[in-house]
Amino acid sequence: MSGFDPRAGTPDNIPGPEDMHEFETELDIDARQDLKAKPSAEPDAANYLVYAHELVAGYFPGVNILNGCNLTATEGELVGIIGPNGAGKSTLLKAMFGLVRIHEGTVTLRGKDITNLRADKLVTMGVAFVPQSNNVFPSLTIEENLQVGCYQQPKKFGPSFERVADIFPALAERRKHRAGSLSGGERQMVAMGRALMMDPSVLLLDEPSAGLSPSLQDEVFVRVREINKTGVTVIIVEQNASRCLQIVDRGYVLDQGRNAYTGTGSELANDPKVIELYLGALAQS
């Protein structure tokens, strides 16, 4: 592990270890209490890799962002989530990854209830998440950022690094460069590469093209498709709705925390109502 401290160079706005320990302990206790009272998973859940059913979730008690949201994903599928600002897209990913409290509904992984489990536990179960911003450790090198990705199982680093390098060859070439010196697009590649180091079955991406130039956005979408082709199920939230719908197998349109439309990427991209109500507005936002 090159003797580096994984706490060094923590991205902005991330609580320190002492703060996180107290928060995670409370979340774990609450999650266990909820799981005891929770009914068994929906019968349909066994048919999907990921099954989110009637999710009600929010950042503060009594203020819900998701209001009965549903999502499914099968093995190897690429699923897109689009919608206006404030629709609950990012909240949905964070709720599925244990970062936002789910008050009602369930999330299952291969039929097993994972509702409100801690993020570190979900990583060991094969779920990875890449946040929109503050998603690299700027004071660490690219190689050290990737080492953090398999911190729970450091012996995976060698084969995992080779697998990530196949998708992002530039990361291998510049492995000794500090992440803080990289462009926004390069940082996004590092963040996605780090998420892949534990060989996840599900990758949750929160607006990976945000803030990038059109050419770099295209590069990100190409890499997302390549990741998916390796067999990883990808669930991606995107503001670049038109481009997102070009690459996904299926898509969801969220509005006010609820499912507004769902269908294949092609169906949504050509639906007159979706175009009128969402795609035009999203292109201008």
mmCIF file of all heavy atoms in Angstrom, residues 3 27 221:
data_model
loop_
_atom_site.group_PDB
_atom_site.id
_atom_site.type_symbol
_atom_site.label_atom_id
_atom_site.label_comp_id
_atom_site.label_asym_id
_atom_site.label_seq_id
_atom_site.Cartn_x
_atom_site.Cartn_y
_atom_site.Cartn_z
ATOM 1 N N GLY A 3 2.664 2.588 2.015
ATOM 2 C CA GLY A 3 2.793 3.278 3.279
ATOM 3 C C GLY A 3 1.997 4.552 3.409
ATOM 4 O O GLY A 3 2.279 5.378 4.260
ATOM 5 N N LEU A 27 -26.677 4.903 12.595
ATOM 6 C CA LEU A 27 -27.362 4.409 11.402
ATOM 7 C C LEU A 27 -27.519 2.903 11.447
ATOM 8 O O LEU A 27 -28.548 2.348 11.096
ATOM 9 C CB LEU A 27 -26.577 4.817 10.153
ATOM 10 C CG LEU A 27 -27.230 4.535 8.802
ATOM 11 C CD1 LEU A 27 -28.581 5.245 8.717
ATOM 12 C CD2 LEU A 27 -26.323 4.974 7.669
ATOM 13 N N PHE A 221 -19.216 8.955 -21.416
ATOM 14 C CA PHE A 221 -20.275 8.033 -21.831
ATOM 15 C C PHE A 221 -19.702 6.797 -22.518
ATOM 16 O O PHE A 221 -20.218 5.684 -22.344
ATOM 17 C CB PHE A 221 -21.272 8.748 -22.742
ATOM 18 C CG PHE A 221 -22.176 9.707 -22.019
ATOM 19 C CD1 PHE A 221 -22.169 11.063 -22.315
ATOM 20 C CD2 PHE A 221 -23.033 9.262 -21.019
ATOM 21 C CE1 PHE A 221 -22.996 11.946 -21.646
ATOM 22 C CE2 PHE A 221 -23.862 10.134 -20.335
ATOM 23 C CZ PHE A 221 -23.841 11.484 -20.653
#
